[in-house]
Amino acid sequence: MTLMKKYLLILAVIVASLPLGGCKPSFTLNGAPIDYNLYHTIHVSDFPIRAALVYPPLQQTFENELLNYITRNTRLQTIDGPSDLTMEGEITQYYLTPQAVTEDAYASRTRLTIGVRVKYTDARAEGKDIDQTFTAYRDFDSSQMLTDVQDQLCQEIAEELVQLIYNATLGNW
């Protein structure tokens, strides 16, 4: 064994025997945890549709998804009236745009975009309030009628919007 190999072997043994307790990675799946000693309740108000195009089932789909997500991922009690946290807002965008225009000037894909303005208020801590618009979209084949895919697209978009909203508010991402 050469002298260099001996030194490398000794160095490897020394490094392997060093304690690794000085560095502990810590992870949470949804950002900083909610302090449940301080926060007990949340009020989620209605999210009326204020977009130029209106698809009435969208409001209920979005509100149900938001409430269910909060219930599944926190221990906060949802209440009506004054609370520790408040979420309110409106559905401000619901529109279609052509995508992937073909050589004969027809769109082969169409994009459904939904936007939700959210006002999040933290009654317990200053500087944590948010007033922001979140948008998400899904593309679908233009050969399909919107009425045939609308419910599924709205559900998928609502799920994405709720995750974005949760991460920006309760998840503290």
Side-chain angles (χ1 to χ4, degrees):
M1 197 184 299
T2 67
L3 186 60
M4 180 63 112
K5 287 183 181 179
K6 286 182 185 179
Y7 285 128
L8 288 175
L9 181 61
I10 292 170
L11 182 62
V13 170
I14 291 171
V15 170
S17 65
L18 291 175
L20 299 175
C23 181
K24 286 185 181 179
S26 175
F27 301 98
T28 57
L29 296 178
N30 62 356
I34 297 170
D35 182 356
Y36 291 108
N37 294 320
L38 185 61
Y39 298 100
H40 305 285
T41 60
I42 186 168
H43 171 71
V44 179
S45 67
D46 292 340
F47 280 75
I49 300 174
R50 304 273 191 250
L53 289 175
V54 175
Y55 180 57
L58 175 60
Q59 180 178 352
Q60 193 67 43
T61 298
F62 174 77
E63 290 171 359
N64 287 344
E65 187 63 33
L66 181 59
L67 286 169
N68 289 340
Y69 198 86
I70 291 170
T71 301
R72 284 191 318 266
N73 292 287
T74 73
R75 293 183 301 185
L76 296 171
Q77 179 183 2
T78 55
I79 63 169
D80 289 329
S83 61
D84 301 324
L85 302 166
T86 304
M87 264 193 222
E88 57 189 336
E90 58 195 3
I91 299 169
T92 57
Q93 300 171 29
Y94 184 89
Y95 62 88
L96 298 168
T97 52
Q99 304 293 310
V101 178
T102 61
E103 65 275 353
D104 56 0
Y106 290 104
S108 62
R109 307 277 300 159
T110 301
R111 175 169 292 171
L112 173 62
T113 302
I114 298 174
V116 178
R117 180 177 171 256
V118 175
K119 184 177 178 188
Y120 171 79
T121 307
D122 185 333
R124 303 272 184 227
E126 289 186 35
K128 290 191 174 183
D129 297 351
I130 292 174
D131 189 348
Q132 183 177 343
T133 298
F134 299 87
T135 59
Y137 64 86
R138 289 291 182 276
D139 293 342
F140 63 98
D141 194 277
S142 293
S143 65
Q144 296 176 298
M145 296 293 296
L146 176 61
T147 55
D148 294 337
V149 296
Q150 195 166 22
D151 287 336
Q152 177 187 345
L153 295 174
C154 286
Q155 181 64 43
E156 290 174 10
I157 294 170
E159 289 171 7
E160 182 177 342
L161 287 168
V162 165
Q163 288 178 358
L164 292 170
I165 292 164
Y166 182 88
N167 289 343
T169 56
L170 299 169
N172 288 329
W173 284 89

